[in-house]
Amino acid sequence: MRIMRCWTLLSLLALVPQTTLASVLAIDYGTDWIKASLMKPGVPFDVLLNKDSKRKIQSAVGWKNGDRLFGGDAAAMASRFPSDVFTALKYLQGAPHDSETVSFYAKISPSELTETARKTVGVKRSDGTEWSVEELVAMQFAYVKELAEAVAEEKVRDVVVTVPPFYSQGERDAVVDAIEISGLRTLALINDGTAVAVNYAMTRTFTTPEYHIIYDAGASSIVATIVSFAPVDSKSAAAGTHISVAGVGYDRNTGGIEFDKRLRQMLVETFNAKYKKDIREDKKGMAKLWKEAGRVKAILSANTEANSAVESLAWDIDFRSKVTRADFENACGDLKGKFAQPIYDALHAANLTLDQISSVLLVGGTTRTPMVQNAVKAAVGADKIALNVNADEAPVLGAAFYGASLSRQFKTKNIKVSDISLHDVEVGYFAAPTTSLSRPRSISTLVFPAGSKAGTKKTLTFKRKEDFTLYFDYKHLIAPGYPQRMFESEIVGISEALGNLTERGAVDPVVKATLMLSDSGFVSVSEAVAYGEIKDDSLTGKLKGLFGAGSSSSDEPTSSENVPPRESETAISSSSSSDSAAPTPSAKANDTEAEKAEKKKAVSKEDTIKLKVVTTFPVLPPMSVEQKKEARSRLRAIDQEEAAKTRKDEARNTLESYLYRLRDLLDEENKDTPFKKCSKESERQAITNKLEDSFNWLHDRGDVAETSQFLDKRITLEAMEKPIIHRYKEIEAFPQALNNSQMWNWSTRLFLAEARQNLTAELEVDLPSKWTSDELDGLENTLKEHESWLHTWVEQQKTVQPNEDPVIETTEMRARAKVLETALQKLYRRKVPKARKPKTTSAAAPESTAQAEDESGEAAKDTPPVEDTPPETPQGQQDEAQQPLKHDEL
């Protein structure tokens, strides 16, 4: 079931091996900007930088002549390729094609919008290629994933994404679909205000409960979230902070883009009035004015007036105009009342007053606009305004910290999070007909009212004998054009299950459906079972049945109990990594609920039969598994195509630079270069001819050639150049190789001279020796062979010219020297054998015998066969294990 997957994933995280959760990626996907952060042991906790070392990435994806671009590169092309660059896609996530949101987007964007088979929104490029919004967002997520993996130096899978708290289930589904298409795995979705609250509590300690308003004014919406910060009960858990969302107010249609839209309209009217042409007919001109409106808005935030100038705006007209802050604020006069309204709505939802609020934290880029700041100050008072959080990065840093709490790799500060839902969710079903002619009666129950705690369950009990369907709806309209129907869940197999329970002796079996509101805001039917108490014929069982209460026969739910989920409050545990496998401290239910749970009778497996739940989305379905596989295949095909193009470009650039290098080497002005000295005239001429052919081919066929052709051209030239390079390297390495061989000759002769002296001395006193005469003779023969070979070939090498191939290779010289070295080291490293004890012929002279043994031992100790120190070897000869001192026999 689609809507259960997110919760199932979160529930099974505790069973995932530690290595799979080593890195946690957090993404704050905004309408204008994307911020990302990586939490990984050993990596500093900070915001990810893009390829231009910027701390935020523009929310844009586009194409330029077939090349896909992201971020600032894509946004810069919006005025040149307005039909191929797509921005502000957050508006279109999960939006029905016929909604007002899509109509608004069509006014601010030149993109051509299409309707998908799921009745959602897609876009069409200038070449006719169509993409769904989920696919385009997935491309941006994949781009961020690539940046994160470059920092982590490993694969990154798990991600936490921030979403507005007012998002419907369909919009959250669209986010999760984009995450899955990008190759990431949804660890959790977290509301923007909640993420800021986590970031705010990371470095603060609260001794008493405090209420703060997080005022988030972004590009597309304004959200006010009232959050309670309270100390965690030290008796039940480690000291920390409990974050609880008390109320939320929002306006999903007012934000910075609305300002840009109105400012651009001012510029359009100025242009049309001045030049008597309608700039709205020119897509490129409108795209240029949109970019200019954003620039002017930023200037007006700090100045009272700004000059607007766009060269060649349209019809070769250079547009110039002056905009004042007063004119801009007059154009936005009807919006001023909307800036502070979310604060009042949040206070009403939380049942609080401004006197109970400690501060108002300003977050989001639109809070820098003077008229927004003035409206908030007028509503709450200037003394409550707090600027002690990073307005741009607080959400993503809080989301990363929250994601780290879900991983066993980190031990974080103990922060517990309790979020709420903002929309009334009701479930409806048709009552079982009493007769064959009776009309079906619809019954609706409010299961999750607005303000319900995220992570809760509700169990509904039904007295049904046949399969039936539960219809989940929003009680009120989420937004104009958005459906109220969420999904439908059919409970299947009831008749057979009840029959089996009856055969086992169950009394009045019923159907129980468990509904869940996950921490990520998804509503689902997590489980449905047929339940009945098995009849007990014993005396105890009969007495229990006599005094026990009977079951209700009502068709409406007989119970609606709040059962805390396994992780109703997410316990956030550190910034430092932990190698231990100790789980994060889990949240505990209150004492009353715990006592009730202990008193409840555990349900026997024999009393329940699991039922099948089939979920369908009749109105606005999320992407199916097949659709996501197809979308991911399309993205992989693009990735492979781009990788092949990158390899081709690299091969061409490498060949081109190699050709220019060869041309410089062959330049007639460079006469005394090593390349000229080590090459023959015929070789240089052959390379010159091939070089000219390669340049001509590159000029004529370079644009249509394949990667392999570039590589073949380079390999051919390298093969012609290789003998010249080899001669030069041999000339450079020959002196060192010769010196190495001569030094081993000298060391071996020195060893033989000393070894023969020691051997003679040891034989005279009848002491054991490390070597035999035959072994020393063998080493001497090896030395003579090496000296003879070296002398012969070195003399021949002296007659070789630099542009001729060497008659002796330095590799062979090192190999023959290694043979001599091995033979020498074999004898040198041999240990001294133990002295033989003399045989005693008479017991009458023990003292003489002992004295002789002592003298023999001292002689063995004082007369070593060789020196204690090895032959000295030079430093810096890395190819040999040991090298003797310098000596030039020749």
Side-chain angles (χ1 to χ4, degrees):
M1 188 170 56
R2 169 63 182 81
I3 55 178
M4 291 179 60
R5 286 201 295 271
C6 182
W7 174 255
T8 303
L9 173 65
L10 295 177
S11 301
L12 295 177
L13 281 175
L15 304 179
V16 179
Q18 296 182 17
T19 54
T20 62
L21 294 177
S23 300
V24 176
L25 175 64
I27 299 177
D28 177 20
Y29 185 74
T31 308
D32 273 349
W33 300 96
I34 303 173
K35 279 80 68 179
S37 180
L38 179 69
M39 183 73 82
K40 181 183 182 297
V43 175
F45 177 43
D46 198 5
V47 173
L48 279 179
L49 304 180
N50 66 357
K51 295 180 179 179
D52 298 327
S53 299
K54 301 293 181 61
R55 297 179 68 86
K56 57 183 181 179
I57 308 163
Q58 285 192 267
S59 300
V61 58
W63 282 262
K64 174 191 174 185
N65 300 328
D67 296 330
R68 190 172 51 163
L69 305 173
F70 294 98
D73 295 336
M77 295 292 106
S79 58
R80 293 178 56 190
F81 305 95
S83 298
D84 289 329
V85 176
F86 308 101
T87 59
L89 293 172
K90 189 173 183 178
Y91 273 112
L92 305 179
Q93 286 183 319
H97 184 266
D98 55 353
S99 63
E100 291 186 4
T101 301
V102 177
S103 301
F104 175 81
Y105 184 84
K107 296 177 182 179
I108 65 173
S109 173
S111 303
E112 182 179 352
L113 303 181
T114 61
E115 184 176 5
T116 66
R118 298 181 293 113
K119 307 299 181 183
T120 56
V121 186
V123 297
K124 181 184 289 187
R125 287 180 53 198
S126 59
D127 62 358
T129 307
E130 295 187 10
W131 295 95
S132 67
V133 173
E134 289 84 353
E135 290 172 322
L136 294 178
V137 175
M139 292 180 189
Q140 299 177 65
F141 286 168
Y143 174 72
V144 175
K145 176 176 179 285
E146 180 183 349
L147 297 177
E149 290 176 346
V151 175
E153 298 181 348
E154 66 179 13
K155 290 293 182 181
V156 175
R157 289 289 309 279
D158 299 319
V159 65
V160 177
V161 179
T162 63
V163 295
F166 54 76
Y167 257 20
S168 65
Q169 181 133 324
E171 292 169 298
R172 294 174 187 266
D173 277 328
V175 176
V176 174
D177 288 341
I179 292 173
E180 294 178 0
I181 295 172
S182 68
L184 292 167
R185 180 172 53 188
T186 306
L187 194 58
L189 301 182
I190 182 172
N191 294 333
D192 294 323
T194 308
V196 176
V198 173
N199 175 255
Y200 186 74
M202 283 168 51
T203 57
R204 292 170 175 83
T205 302
F206 301 89
T207 57
T208 58
E210 297 180 10
Y211 288 99
H212 296 262
I213 296 179
I214 298 173
Y215 184 83
D216 184 1
S220 59
S221 62
I222 297 177
V223 181
T225 305
I226 299 181
V227 181
S228 168
F229 297 91
V232 174
D233 185 7
S234 59
K235 296 181 180 179
S236 59
T241 303
H242 184 188
I243 299 174
S244 179
V245 178
V248 178
Y250 63 91
D251 185 337
R252 64 185 299 162
N253 299 317
T254 303
I257 286 185
E258 179 64 27
F259 296 158
D260 293 346
K261 174 176 171 289
R262 299 194 179 202
L263 188 51
R264 185 180 69 170
Q265 183 61 29
M266 294 173 59
L267 299 177
V268 167
E269 293 174 355
T270 302
F271 180 90
N272 293 346
K274 187 175 182 179
Y275 298 102
K276 308 303 180 183
K277 293 178 179 289
D278 192 356
I279 188 62
R280 291 171 293 186
E281 297 176 358
D282 190 290
K283 282 188 175 182
K284 290 186 177 181
M286 292 296 287
K288 292 178 180 179
L289 282 184
W290 181 263
K291 182 177 180 181
E292 181 66 9
R295 188 187 71 85
V296 171
K297 183 186 70 173
I299 295 175
L300 291 178
S301 296
N303 301 274
T304 57
E305 62 179 30
N307 292 321
S308 174
V310 182
E311 294 184 3
S312 187
L313 176 60
W315 304 290
D316 293 330
I317 297 176
D318 295 336
F319 173 68
R320 286 177 175 80
S321 176
K322 179 179 289 187
V323 182
T324 64
R325 182 190 292 179
D327 293 339
F328 174 50
E329 292 183 352
N330 289 335
C332 302
D334 59 314
L335 299 178
K336 292 183 179 179
K338 298 181 179 181
F339 299 152
Q341 188 59 42
I343 296 177
Y344 300 135
D345 294 341
L347 290 171
H348 177 73
N351 196 21
L352 296 173
T353 63
L354 273 175
D355 296 335
Q356 297 173 275
I357 302 299
S358 299
S359 69
V360 178
L361 309 176
L362 299 184
V363 182
T366 307
T367 57
R368 299 184 179 96
T369 305
M371 57 179 160
V372 175
Q373 293 181 354
N374 295 334
V376 175
K377 290 179 181 178
V380 302
D383 58 326
K384 288 187 179 293
I385 300 296
L387 302 175
N388 49 4
V389 294
N390 190 312
D392 294 324
E393 300 175 359
V396 71
L397 294 177
F401 194 83
Y402 177 79
S405 71
L406 303 177
S407 170
R408 296 178 181 177
Q409 289 290 325
F410 306 94
K411 184 177 181 181
T412 61
K413 180 180 177 181
N414 183 24
I415 299 179
K416 297 183 178 181
V417 178
S418 298
D419 213 334
I420 61 174
S421 64
L422 302 188
H423 308 298
D424 292 327
V425 177
E426 59 183 11
V427 60
Y429 57 95
F430 290 104
T434 56
T435 63
S436 58
L437 300 178
S438 61
R439 298 179 61 183
R441 182 168 57 95
S442 176
I443 301 175
S444 296
T445 302
L446 185 63
V447 287
F448 295 114
S452 295
K453 184 179 178 182
T456 59
K457 294 180 181 179
K458 287 195 176 182
T459 302
L460 304 182
T461 303
F462 304 91
K463 188 71 173 180
R464 301 299 290 261
K465 296 182 180 179
E466 301 293 338
D467 297 349
F468 67 101
T469 302
L470 298 176
Y471 303 92
F472 289 82
D473 300 279
Y474 289 114
K475 187 175 181 179
H476 305 289
L477 191 65
I478 297 296
Y482 282 68
Q484 290 183 251
R485 174 61 49 87
M486 300 169 63
F487 60 92
E488 300 175 1
S489 292
E490 183 182 5
I491 302 178
V492 182
I494 295 177
S495 178
E496 182 181 357
L498 295 182
N500 291 337
L501 287 175
T502 303
E503 291 178 0
R504 298 177 189 176
V507 180
D508 294 333
V510 295
V511 176
K512 290 189 174 184
T514 302
L515 315 182
M516 177 181 292
L517 174 62
S518 74
D519 290 334
S520 294
F522 290 98
V523 177
S524 64
V525 180
S526 61
E527 185 184 36
V529 297
Y531 166 75
E533 293 186 3
I534 304 298
K535 186 177 181 180
D536 190 354
D537 292 331
S538 64
L539 178 61
T540 304
K542 291 179 180 180
L543 292 175
K544 179 180 179 181
L546 178 63
F547 296 102
S551 61
S552 171
S553 60
S554 172
D555 193 70
E556 298 186 9
T558 58
S559 67
S560 181
E561 56 188 19
N562 289 315
V563 181
R566 203 176 82 178
E567 294 180 1
S568 61
E569 294 178 351
T570 305
I572 299 187
S573 29
S574 156
S575 315
S576 61
S577 62
S578 174
D579 295 331
S580 65
T584 307
S586 60
K588 295 184 178 181
N590 56 55
D591 295 339
T592 303
E593 293 177 345
E595 291 175 2
K596 290 181 180 179
E598 291 176 0
K599 293 179 181 179
K600 285 186 177 181
K601 176 184 176 181
V603 179
S604 171
K605 291 183 179 179
E606 296 181 355
D607 296 353
T608 61
I609 297 179
K610 191 172 182 179
L611 300 174
K612 183 179 180 181
V613 179
V614 180
T615 300
T616 57
F617 301 85
V619 182
L620 197 68
M623 298 182 73
S624 63
V625 176
E626 292 74 17
Q627 289 172 330
K628 283 185 285 189
K629 286 183 179 179
E630 181 182 357
R632 192 165 184 180
S633 298
R634 294 184 69 189
L635 264 63
R636 285 179 175 174
I638 290 183
D639 293 339
Q640 293 173 358
E641 182 181 350
E642 290 178 348
K645 188 173 183 179
T646 301
R647 289 194 297 269
K648 178 180 176 179
D649 293 340
E650 291 177 352
R652 177 172 181 169
N653 294 335
T654 303
L655 173 62
E656 194 170 5
S657 62
Y658 181 66
L659 293 179
Y660 283 113
R661 187 179 70 84
L662 279 182
R663 189 183 66 177
D664 293 339
L665 292 175
L666 295 169
D667 192 352
E668 294 181 357
E669 296 181 359
N670 301 328
K671 296 181 179 180
D672 296 330
T673 61
F675 181 83
K676 292 286 185 67
K677 293 180 179 180
C678 297
S679 60
K680 302 176 182 178
E681 180 63 29
S682 59
E683 292 174 328
R684 293 195 295 272
Q685 186 61 43
I687 294 176
T688 300
N689 296 337
K690 191 65 178 178
L691 188 63
E692 292 178 358
D693 294 341
S694 299
F695 270 120
N696 294 333
W697 175 86
L698 188 63
H699 181 268
D700 297 336
R701 305 286 299 172
D703 294 335
V704 296
E706 298 294 333
T707 305
S708 58
Q709 294 177 289
F710 292 112
L711 297 176
D712 291 340
K713 292 289 183 181
R714 181 181 175 185
I715 290 172
T716 301
L717 284 169
E718 286 179 341
M720 300 175 68
E721 184 193 15
K722 185 176 181 180
I724 304 173
I725 301 299
H726 178 67
R727 294 171 197 150
Y728 175 73
K729 290 182 177 180
E730 285 295 314
I731 293 174
E732 290 288 315
F734 180 78
Q736 186 177 8
L738 177 60
N739 189 45
N740 176 69
S741 299
Q742 293 171 341
M743 286 187 293
W744 280 114
N745 290 343
W746 174 80
S747 297
T748 304
R749 284 200 172 279
L750 178 63
F751 171 81
L752 287 172
E754 295 178 349
R756 290 188 185 280
Q757 293 178 3
N758 292 337
L759 178 62
T760 302
E762 290 164 352
L763 292 177
E764 290 177 355
V765 295
D766 194 21
L767 291 177
S769 177
K770 293 171 63 175
W771 318 283
T772 64
S773 178
D774 292 340
E775 290 176 331
L776 296 179
D777 292 341
L779 177 61
E780 186 172 7
N781 291 335
T782 302
L783 171 63
K784 290 180 179 179
E785 291 176 1
H786 182 257
E787 289 177 336
S788 175
W789 175 87
L790 186 65
H791 177 75
T792 301
W793 288 102
V794 167
E795 290 299 323
Q796 295 183 25
Q797 179 64 27
K798 290 180 179 180
T799 63
V800 176
Q801 298 299 319
N803 60 357
E804 296 177 348
D805 293 333
V807 297
I808 178 175
E809 300 284 345
T810 55
T811 53
E812 184 178 4
M813 294 175 66
R814 293 191 184 94
R816 288 182 175 271
K818 188 67 176 178
V819 173
L820 179 61
E821 177 195 357
T822 302
L824 173 62
Q825 295 289 355
K826 181 179 178 181
L827 297 183
Y828 171 75
R829 294 178 178 176
R830 185 176 296 175
K831 296 182 179 180
V832 180
K834 295 182 179 180
R836 296 187 301 269
K837 294 183 178 181
K839 297 181 180 179
T840 54
T841 57
S842 175
E847 294 182 0
S848 302
T849 304
Q851 184 176 359
E853 290 178 356
D854 292 341
E855 292 176 356
S856 174
E858 290 177 1
K861 294 179 182 179
D862 297 338
T863 313
V866 293
E867 294 181 358
D868 290 338
T869 57
E872 295 184 5
T873 58
Q875 298 180 1
Q877 182 64 28
Q878 299 179 356
D879 297 335
E880 313 298 337
Q882 281 187 330
Q883 294 184 354
L885 293 172
K886 272 194 174 184
H887 180 69
D888 190 354
E889 281 189 353
L890 305 180

